[in-house]
Amino acid sequence: MIFRQDSDRGGDGEGPSADSRAETTGRQVVVFTDDGRRTDPTALLRSLTGVSTVTRSGEFDSSAMDLEQAEVADAVVFDELGIAVIAADPDQLEALRAAAAAPDVAVLSVEPELVHHALDSEDTVAGVAWPTNGAAAVEDAEHFLDTPEFTWGLHATRTTTSTCSGRGVRIAVLDTGLDLTHPDFHGRTITAQSFIPGAAPQDGHGHGTHCIGTACGPAAAAGTRRYGVAHKADIFVGKVLSDQGRGVDSGILAGIEWAIANGCQIVSMSLGADVETVSVAYETVGQRALAAGVLIVAAAGNNANRAAGRPGLVGVPANSPSIMAVAAVDPDLGLANFSAASNPVIGGEVDVAGPGVGVFSSVPMPVRYGSKSGTSMATPHVAGIAALWCAETGRTGRDLWSLLTQHSRRLALPSLDVGAGLIQASGG
């Protein structure tokens, strides 16, 4: 599926390409066609806008763009993705929109750069927020509990019976970073990079450490239950959200570019913007990632209030057809109150669900462990389980997507809310 943007899209930067409620930066995201990205997108950008200084991801080792350096440039170009971010004045913006409307120019779209946020709903960092049960049985009338051995999410997804570890698979978690001092990750293969100007990849928020713990935490954690899925996967930490839990498209795109360039098979993003309209940029990125054998999974969003009759909507980037949107369920396998429903736009569907209420995982030291809720917590379950399937079958990209949905557990809930159902690990 190809989205081409019409010239009247975007208006003053708050038009159909970004909902009026969207928070934007004033910069523009430019998507090049396949032909455009394979030739010379920098020359095309200069010919259209007259920009003088352009920073390209290919100029950096492992495509790890230093956005602090890039901030002084007129534009940045992500070579692998075929996307640029530019601070365009009105005349430059008009030229870019005219190019996007022309059938013979190698520009697919121009849209405002969005601000994204970490998508957790609750935070009970200290201690265990969900009841534990010392009994051997963990399922009673479809109710799952943490046990001394495993979290309820690992039980519900059958990760507990999987013989796979994710060894040899690379997972990139693009979030607030990781507490690199956390003892549960000592000895692991970790590559860390920050895409927040002036910040190191160390997690000063907690969201990223929790998500990485769920996706890639150890098989045995000292003094507590196992909480991680792909416990031998290689971990790629991309800090694309600040210690305040905020980030922008340029940083997120830089993180995706870096993940793809470094051979990551799975990219996990527990972030988003509550924007209904599909982003041409993220849909194009999703398509190009799948073609390169990379599966991107993203949180559906926490903007619902089911108790009040408000179903919410799947936002950017999860509403892209080529990015797997993840909803959240609770230990009764009921829909989490905050979990967003599919919305009536092409690609706005929820694809799968994961455990997302009272999820126990790692948090920054000295607290070490804690529980959080959100579609953010469901998403790394899916990423970790994708790594298990990838390690077992060698499937990547679209084939891996198909495996995950085919083997998901059907739930007594509408597919508009949970897609194919609850994600399941291999070997169950």
Side-chain angles (χ1 to χ4, degrees):
M1 183 181 299
I2 293 293
F3 291 81
R4 189 171 189 105
Q5 193 171 38
D6 297 330
S7 60
D8 60 351
R9 283 195 163 193
D12 60 359
E14 294 290 346
S17 60
D19 294 5
S20 58
R21 62 191 154 201
E23 185 179 357
T24 60
T25 67
R27 295 187 295 266
Q28 303 295 319
V29 180
V30 181
V31 183
F32 301 103
T33 64
D34 283 336
D35 286 343
R37 73 179 177 125
R38 288 170 186 149
T39 52
D40 190 352
T42 300
L44 177 59
L45 199 61
R46 283 177 169 149
S47 69
L48 291 172
T49 66
V51 294
S52 56
T53 57
V54 179
T55 299
R56 302 182 63 162
S57 60
E59 298 169 354
F60 299 85
D61 291 341
S62 301
S63 293
M65 181 178 283
D66 184 341
L67 290 181
E68 193 165 9
Q69 291 184 35
E71 278 190 326
V72 301
D74 297 323
V76 296
V77 173
F78 302 106
D79 296 300
E80 183 77 29
L81 302 180
I83 288 180
V85 178
I86 177 173
D89 64 27
D91 290 340
Q92 292 170 323
L93 184 54
E94 183 178 353
L96 288 168
R97 287 181 178 148
D104 56 346
V105 180
V107 175
L108 273 178
S109 70
V110 184
E111 58 192 42
E113 183 184 37
L114 296 173
V115 177
H116 298 254
H117 299 268
L119 295 179
D120 57 342
S121 178
E122 301 170 7
D123 189 348
T124 52
V125 173
V128 182
W130 208 258
T132 59
N133 180 4
V138 299
E139 185 175 351
D140 180 16
E142 298 302 297
H143 180 69
F144 292 87
L145 294 169
D146 283 11
T147 66
E149 292 80 24
F150 301 100
T151 62
W152 78 264
L154 299 192
H155 285 297
T157 59
R158 297 188 184 272
T159 301
T160 56
T161 59
S162 173
T163 59
C164 290
S165 64
R167 184 188 294 275
V169 178
R170 296 182 171 190
I171 302 178
V173 180
L174 306 183
D175 211 287
T176 62
L178 172 68
D179 179 3
L180 298 168
T181 72
H182 201 293
D184 286 9
F185 298 94
H186 290 174
R188 295 291 294 278
T189 302
I190 299 175
T191 304
Q193 183 70 38
S194 176
F195 300 98
I196 297 295
Q202 177 69 17
D203 184 9
H205 181 283
H207 191 267
T209 299
H210 196 278
C211 290
I212 290 171
T214 298
C216 310
T224 192
R225 65 197 60 80
R226 176 181 164 187
Y227 56 84
V229 178
H231 54 90
K232 290 189 177 177
D234 295 341
I235 304 169
F236 280 72
V237 179
K239 186 181 180 79
V240 301
L241 300 178
S242 70
D243 290 341
Q244 291 71 48
R246 291 166 51 91
V248 299
D249 284 334
S250 55
I252 295 165
L253 293 169
I256 297 173
E257 170 104 347
W258 169 75
I260 294 174
N262 283 275
C264 294
Q265 294 95 334
I266 297 137
V267 176
S268 181
M269 302 195 304
S270 293
L271 51 81
D274 290 340
V275 175
E276 180 179 18
T277 307
V278 174
S279 161
V280 181
Y282 282 105
E283 170 52 14
T284 304
V285 166
Q287 290 181 24
R288 290 171 179 172
L290 288 173
V294 182
L295 173 67
I296 302 176
V297 298
N302 302 334
N303 51 46
N305 184 340
R306 300 308 182 113
R310 297 197 295 271
L313 58 90
V314 179
V316 174
N319 64 2
S320 301
S322 299
I323 292 176
M324 181 173 280
V326 183
V329 296
D330 63 24
D332 296 316
L333 303 190
L335 188 68
N337 182 60
F338 51 76
S339 188
S342 300
N343 50 320
V345 298
I346 296 174
E349 301 87 1
V350 170
D351 294 299
V352 293
V357 175
V359 174
F360 179 88
S361 185
S362 50
V363 298
M365 299 297 288
V367 178
R368 190 163 181 168
Y369 303 116
S371 295
K372 294 177 183 285
S373 298
T375 52
S376 275
M377 286 59 254
T379 300
H381 279 95
V382 174
I385 289 170
L388 301 186
W389 280 105
C390 180
E392 182 177 4
T393 67
R395 302 286 184 89
T396 61
R398 297 184 190 279
D399 289 341
L400 182 57
W401 182 313
S402 295
L403 275 176
L404 292 172
T405 54
Q406 289 166 10
H407 291 274
S408 292
R409 177 182 173 180
R410 297 290 175 181
L411 299 173
L413 292 166
S415 59
L416 287 174
D417 292 329
V418 295
L422 180 63
I423 197 75
Q424 298 287 284
S426 56

